[in-house]
Amino acid sequence: MSGIEVAIGYMFAWLVRKARRVGGRADAEVDRTLDTAMDHLHDLVSARLGEDPALRRLADEAAAGGDSPSVRTRLQVQLALEDAAEQDAGFRQALDHAVAQVRAAEGRAHGGTYVGGDVHIEARDGSAAAWAMGDVTVGNPPKPEPPQG
């Protein structure tokens, strides 16, 4: 999944979190860190896309309480972000960095750490080292089977 696809999911999650938090605030430092990272991503994308209709639809769908944006809205936001990233390498770099920041904060919020590259773990002098992985997906999922009958 590209950084842009991940950014869209986080943008939607940011919008949903903000809508749900109207009635109450989270109290953990980890939540504040995640909020800050998601706020930064939202601000970056919103500043770049402005009043893009696809971004407005994303906000409307989040406000409606859905679990995720529609396929069409996701594609339209993806195309808008890809276009912006192709036109401005600085924006692309800032977007990738913002996505990495949210992933790292999200990992800490769920008791883990996001690593976007190689991992090397070493135990020395009688110590122990471990690495545990939860549900991990690499690449695209397989295409679903066509309906029978």
Side-chain angles (χ1 to χ4, degrees), residues 28-51:
E29 180 63 31
V30 173
D31 278 341
R32 284 191 291 275
T33 302
L34 181 56
D35 284 345
T36 299
M38 289 179 80
D39 286 348
H40 174 68
L41 175 64
H42 172 266
D43 293 347
L44 176 70
V45 170
S46 295
R48 181 62 188 199
L49 296 186
E51 293 297 318

Side-chain angles (χ1 to χ4, degrees), residues 49-132:
L49 296 186
E51 293 297 318
D52 188 292
L55 193 55
R56 181 74 250 151
R57 274 192 297 281
L58 188 72
D60 291 345
E61 290 180 19
D67 291 332
S68 62
S70 68
V71 172
R72 182 182 177 120
T73 297
R74 179 180 289 275
L75 179 60
Q76 289 173 337
V77 174
Q78 180 179 340
L79 292 172
L81 284 173
E82 285 174 353
D83 186 53
E86 287 171 5
Q87 293 178 23
D88 183 350
F91 172 72
R92 176 57 181 243
Q93 186 176 22
L95 182 63
D96 289 345
H97 179 72
V99 167
Q101 294 281 39
V102 175
R103 281 180 159 175
E106 187 177 43
R108 288 189 296 276
H110 298 292
T113 301
Y114 166 77
V115 179
D118 295 339
V119 174
H120 176 81
I121 300 172
E122 185 175 321
R124 293 183 185 187
D125 301 323
S127 63
W131 182 267

